Amino acid sequence: MEPKFKPATLCVQAGWTPKKGEPRVLPIYQSTTFKYETSEQMARLFDLEDSGYFYTRLQNPTNDAVAAKIAALEGGVAGMLTSSGQAASFYSIFNICSAGDHFVSASTIYGGTFNLFGVTMQKLGIEVTFVDQDAPAEEIARAFRPNTKALFAETISNPGLSILDIEKMAGIAHEHGVPLIVDNTFATPINCRPFEWGADIVIHSTTKYMDGHATSVGGVIVDSGNFDWDAHADKFPGLTTPDESYHGLTYTKSFGKGAYITKATAQLMRDLGSIQSPQNAFLLNLGLETLHLRVPRHCENAQKVAEYLAASDEVAWVNYCGLPGNKYYELGRKYLPNGSCGVVTFGLKGGRDRSIRFMDNLRLAAIVTHVADARTSVLHPASHTHRQLSDEQLVAAGVAPDLIRFSVGIEDAGDIIADIEQALAR
Ligand SMILES: *Cc1c(COP(=O)(O)O)cnc(C)c1O
């Protein structure tokens, strides 16, 4: 697919370009394995001397077509689907960090990522320092050490809805010779393409807007191809020195701009195996075909809901960067000029207990552990997704105890607002 196409065209057609007589629709390659004519052909694949498919734990054509579509949407050089967003976050760091290494992450990130970084990765000997992404660059820079290998943050944080100053963060990362990895789940490439602002690697939980219909858990990692690993070769030996598990091949030498994704596929997928099922990749692709239509509608509806909440006497506070006066209004205008996302957070007068009672009274909006779905859904992070966090960690993650995460769907905005109205009245 030519890169000159606009996002709407890429959503519908990128990744799969059938040749004569081939299926118009992306086929599901429901096969664990692939056939070769000679033993030698297969051996060359195992040595990464030829590219091709041999076992679906590493690569599958359906997955690769969908990863290529997302890479095209983000403006990257290569992508890899993973079984979940969690796997994508983990691999994005683990691909360049090993025991004894350190990375820096914004503290306002998804609760699952916070646990992964702060607890599980510690057990692997990889340390993280959480920083306030809104702090001045000099302050964030103080978190860096000689063994720091990456900076991680979310474009729009879940559920704090902080908007990332991507240029500032990219500047800090590059000054320290490390890549900026951005979780772009909430913005999607329809509203923001972090590579255009200096980010080096993007990850997504495709479970959210990309699938959009709450059918399939999945993730993706996309590489911009812009980070010069060889310029910081001592920091990234996994990419710049021979890999003994592939007869001494060096990823940056053999694969150039494809080095990072090839290593993630050839090493991490091979050894850890968090591949997305081709069936789920097919469903994800169906979601992607309408991403450019759904995302603007989510944003339009969310703006109306946010404005309704802001005007209501029952509401203590509302957080949505589309509201003038919001802390992130200006950053939103810069990085997300066409809209941010469908998620609005707010608290009710009466605090945590009232917020919980309000949720119980909603009829159209469902209480589900989900967000960024075509259906309006609602969650109380302090009781649900962020339950493991201490009060102090909740504050650092931008989660107030009374915070209601309201994920506005693509139903009729008037019906969504009427549902809120009746639940507030009861
Ligand atoms: C949901 C989510 C994740 C985790 O993704 P899963 O697909 O649930 O594993 C990561 N980051 C963000 C911003 C999310 O919303």
Side-chain angles (χ1 to χ4, degrees), residues 84-86 110 113 154 158 183 185-186 205 207-208 217-218 371:
S84 67
Q86 285 301 103
Y110 175 67
T113 316
E154 295 176 2
N158 174 10
D183 179 339
T185 299
F186 269 25
S205 166
T207 317
K208 312 297 165 52
V217 171
V371 68

Side-chain angles (χ1 to χ4, degrees), residues 250-271:
T250 299
Y251 290 98
T252 50
K253 279 207 186 73
S254 297
F255 302 105
K257 284 183 180 297
Y260 177 89
I261 290 293
T262 304
K263 177 175 182 287
T265 304
Q267 258 182 12
L268 301 186
M269 273 304 177
R270 179 194 63 186
D271 296 352

Side-chain angles (χ1 to χ4, degrees), residues 356-421:
I356 291 172
R357 265 184 290 129
F358 161 79
M359 286 175 48
D360 291 347
N361 282 322
L362 289 165
R363 289 174 181 148
L364 189 140
I367 300 175
V368 292
T369 305
H370 198 49
V371 68
D373 178 359
R375 284 152 289 241
T376 296
S377 50
V378 65
L379 185 99
H380 182 240
S383 319
H384 305 139
T385 44
H386 287 61
R387 210 180 166 79
Q388 279 78 16
L389 271 54
S390 67
D391 283 355
E392 221 171 44
Q393 288 174 325
L394 278 177
V395 172
V399 181
D402 65 342
L403 183 150
I404 296 169
R405 186 181 73 183
F406 201 84
S407 172
V408 182
I410 53 174
E411 304 95 337
D412 180 85
D415 287 340
I416 299 168
I417 290 169
D419 188 35
I420 297 172
E421 203 160 27

Side-chain angles (χ1 to χ4, degrees), residues 343-363:
V343 183
V344 177
T345 60
F346 61 99
L348 294 178
K349 289 181 183 158
R352 184 179 179 137
D353 294 342
R354 172 113 199 268
S355 291
I356 291 172
R357 265 184 290 129
F358 161 79
M359 286 175 48
D360 291 347
N361 282 322
L362 289 165
R363 289 174 181 148

Side-chain angles (χ1 to χ4, degrees), residues 172-194:
I172 301 167
H174 297 161
E175 237 168 64
H176 293 85
V178 305
L180 172 64
I181 305 176
V182 171
D183 179 339
N184 198 33
T185 299
F186 269 25
T188 83
I190 300 303
N191 282 344
C192 179
R193 283 178 297 281

Side-chain angles (χ1 to χ4, degrees), residues 187-203:
T188 83
I190 300 303
N191 282 344
C192 179
R193 283 178 297 281
F195 296 156
E196 293 173 359
W197 302 99
D200 302 286
I201 290 149
V202 157
I203 68 126

